Amino acid sequence: MSTASRTDAQAPEPHAADTHDLIRVHGARENNLRDVSIEIPKRRLTVFTGVSGSGKSSLVFDTVAAESQRLINETYSAFVQGFMPSVARPDVDVLDGLTTAIIVDQQRMGADPRSTVGTATDTNAMLRILFSRLGQPHIGSAKAFSFNVASISGAGAVTVERAGKTVKERRSFSVTGGMCPRCEGRGAVSDIDLTQLYDDTKSLAEGAITVPGYTGDGWMTRIFSGSGFLDADKPIRDYTERELQDFLYREPTKVKVNGINLTYEGLVPKVQKSILAKDREAMQPHIRAFVDRAVAFASCPDCDGTRLTEAARSSKVRGISIADACRMQISDLAAWVRELDEPSVAPLLAALRQTLDSFVEIGLGYLSLERPAGTLSGGEAQRVKMIRHLGSSLTDVTYVFDEPSTGLHPHDIRRMNGLLRQLRDKGNTVLVVEHKPEVIAIADHVVDLGPGAGSAGGTVCFEGSVQGLRAAGTVTGRHLDDRASVKETVRTPTGKLAIRGANAHNLRDVDVDIPLGVLVVVTGVAGSGKSSLVHGSIPAGEGVVSVDQSPIRGSRRSNPATYTGLLEPIRKAFAKANGVKPALFSANSEGACPTCNGAGVVYTDLAMMAGVATTCEDCEGRRFDASVLEYHLSGKDISEVLAMPVTEAEAFFAAGEARTPAAHRILSRLVDVGLGYVSLGQPLTTLSGGERQRLKLATHMGDKGGVYVLDEPTTGLHLADVEQLLGLLDRLVDSGKSVVVVEHHQAVMAHADWIVDLGPGAGHDGGRVVFEGTPAELVAARSTLTGRHLAEYVGA
């Protein structure tokens, strides 16, 4: 009896399954990580901090999340894996205790012209089913309400075998789609200025076609010349009516050019398919400039920009068509759907209500479903991706977020913090890469990486609680409680930029004067109309340099030297010093190592297994042919120059034999934005989001202009880096420039000379100027959400 009671009093042994409460990482070496070993608690909220480029994304995304996804992919058959992207195993010794990772990153959503907020979140799919069941008049299945499905029909004879006999039968089919036939579901039509496509005084042989990519000796032009339809030596103004029709509009036709079977097509449809079918924002700068010059876009007159056929717009539920529903602000649409009570579609309505309520809950109720996905900011795109996870019943998964506070006003950050806690409290592990102190403050566990960026980072400086971080003395710990004070004295404007009657998107005939010669911050809650005012109303003509949030694109062959145009003067300096041509000093041209084609590594494709990249044995990863490395400039070959950090290269090109003013100017701008530690030849794919943002800023600083318009330049920047950015903005203003910044960061607001606050809410609740004045006046008035949060921030 006594034995039994003694056994009962003992603490029960924990079940073996309950002991796996840590994600263990040992010996992580991805990118700049230096044998990092940490233990991340499961079912807790862990925030990863550190200066931009310290290795946060390398640890969280490229190591933990990448390995989790790779292991899940391996559970599928070899046949299925062949269709999936293959991911190499991260460079790490041990990864233990992983759970399924769901990555919610800041990658912009697909910029296809037919991709909208509704299609990206599957909300449109549910609405189409709803209207196909309840819409009056009934016009067909859900396809009849889709602007991605064209109406087609056909008829003809088919031959079938039946009972040993061959029988011919007449068959017909038809598909009723909702795509507007005029704009093909794009909502806009384009009118091409033919004078921008060709010079009619020249012949094809003389390079008459002026479209980018259509060079005189290129394949595109050779198809026109060798098609047999046109005389290559005849000026286009002398073409007969038939020749001009063939040249501009001929339908695709098979032709033989130089013994090769090719398809000939008129110039206009060819340009429409190859250039205009792409999203403008995704185009290269020179192609975008051509499109802006040659094409006028207008809302489709047949469908009024709704993308849908007249039939799809005629079918209504309680007086609302699917086009009306997609055009509504989502918060209004959610209210309309809640009023619908139809037992026949009850499960569909429940799912639709939940999705629409998630939009409102996450602070995106101001969007509409017809909003093109490519126009969303990085922060908006990330929150749209979160929507499908909010109502999920999954638990014990790892959610990985990349700066979820990006693009959020301090007021909205509180709501985001609630959502992160909600995901954690359901029993999930939440990993967040973040810089904002408001988000770091809610962490259960903090991992601080550093101490510096690039090669000076990659180690764990601190691991523990937020209180422990404050006392730790790391860069993040020292700056965590930093609070900028409001400027005592502000600069005097030298003029003003008058904006009158601005009504882009949700702006309501806004009249505002933007002071010139000072630092102006435009702020307001997400969706209040800041970007619409700045990008839509400040004329983007001569003298205006606009740096938006679009991410810089680049392959593993791109690096800071190629992106900024720095490589051009460097190549010329090498060529001049050695008496050879500049093309030799490009790893993408004549100077490339023939074995690896200038990539520095040799890739071996292993089908459904992850490909293997091995350092090229001939050039030892230096990317250049051995003969090119014999040429020197001030004692260094081209590969040694590209391996230099920016600060070292700046000194190298400043004086002596290597003195190159053009290169030195670009390098000075890179140092100004805090990228002195990045090497010139480091692939763009290895740079962090904050580093890419600053690289883009450095490039635009070289543009000639008197007004700089910056859209959230603090994105991806550590608290310590924000100080450096403010110093840079001050130097720009002091040099006589006018700087207009769209920003939520309170340190930037406090540092401003003038603030324009939009609101009071988002969407149709915003679009008005609710305050204009100095930061001190905004704090004293506390009349707006921004004013109250800024007053709280500066401790006023």
Side-chain angles (χ1 to χ4, degrees), residues 102 158 324 347 452 584 639:
I102 294 173
V158 293
D324 299 330
L584 280 176
S639 68

Side-chain angles (χ1 to χ4, degrees), residues 530-769:
K530 302 179 300 297
S531 294
S532 300
L533 178 68
V534 171
H535 294 299
S537 306
I538 293 180
E542 284 297 311
V544 176
V545 178
S546 184
V547 186
D548 60 15
Q549 273 193 310
S550 59
I552 64 175
R553 292 174 173 78
S555 67
R556 54 177 176 254
R557 284 180 177 274
S558 307
N559 54 49
T562 58
Y563 181 78
T564 58
L566 172 65
L567 199 56
E568 192 67 28
I570 291 177
R571 285 203 306 254
K572 286 179 179 172
F574 265 94
K576 188 177 178 183
N578 295 281
V580 291
K581 53 184 178 179
L584 280 176
F585 302 99
S586 169
N588 297 325
S589 185
E590 291 181 32
C593 164
T595 308
C596 62
N597 291 325
V601 288
V602 177
Y603 293 91
T604 309
D605 183 11
L606 298 176
M608 78 283 182
M609 305 292 283
V612 176
T614 50
T615 304
C616 174
E617 292 178 4
D618 286 6
C619 68
E620 296 176 345
R622 286 182 291 201
R623 304 175 62 199
F624 290 90
D625 189 15
S627 62
V628 175
L629 300 180
E630 291 173 11
Y631 300 116
H632 290 81
L633 177 68
S634 249
K636 294 197 180 289
D637 64 42
I638 184 71
S639 68
E640 289 171 327
V641 168
L642 289 176
M644 285 181 182
V646 167
T647 41
E648 187 185 329
E650 186 195 22
F652 179 75
F653 287 106
E657 186 199 343
R659 184 173 178 277
T660 312
H664 186 258
R665 276 196 301 275
I666 296 171
L667 289 162
S668 299
R669 292 200 294 267
L670 289 171
V671 171
D672 275 347
V673 297
L675 291 178
Y677 59 89
V678 173
S679 64
L680 305 186
Q682 185 176 335
L684 286 189
T685 49
T686 64
L687 295 183
S688 70
E691 286 168 333
R692 291 184 185 208
Q693 187 81 353
R694 283 182 286 165
L695 182 63
K696 183 175 172 183
L697 180 57
T699 308
H700 283 288
M701 276 173 59
D703 297 347
K704 288 184 170 60
V707 181
Y708 280 76
V709 178
L710 312 179
D711 196 347
E712 295 196 44
T714 60
T715 300
L717 293 191
H718 187 265
L719 299 160
D721 297 323
V722 172
E723 283 183 15
Q724 191 166 8
L725 176 75
L726 292 175
L728 173 65
L729 297 180
D730 276 341
R731 286 198 297 280
L732 278 172
V733 175
D734 293 340
S735 70
K737 310 286 188 190
S738 302
V739 180
V740 181
V741 184
V742 175
E743 192 53 82
H744 294 292
H745 204 294
Q746 291 110 315
V748 182
M749 291 183 211
H751 197 75
D753 297 307
W754 191 260
I755 287 184
V756 177
D757 191 14
L758 284 125
H764 58 46
D765 296 325
R768 294 189 290 270
V769 173

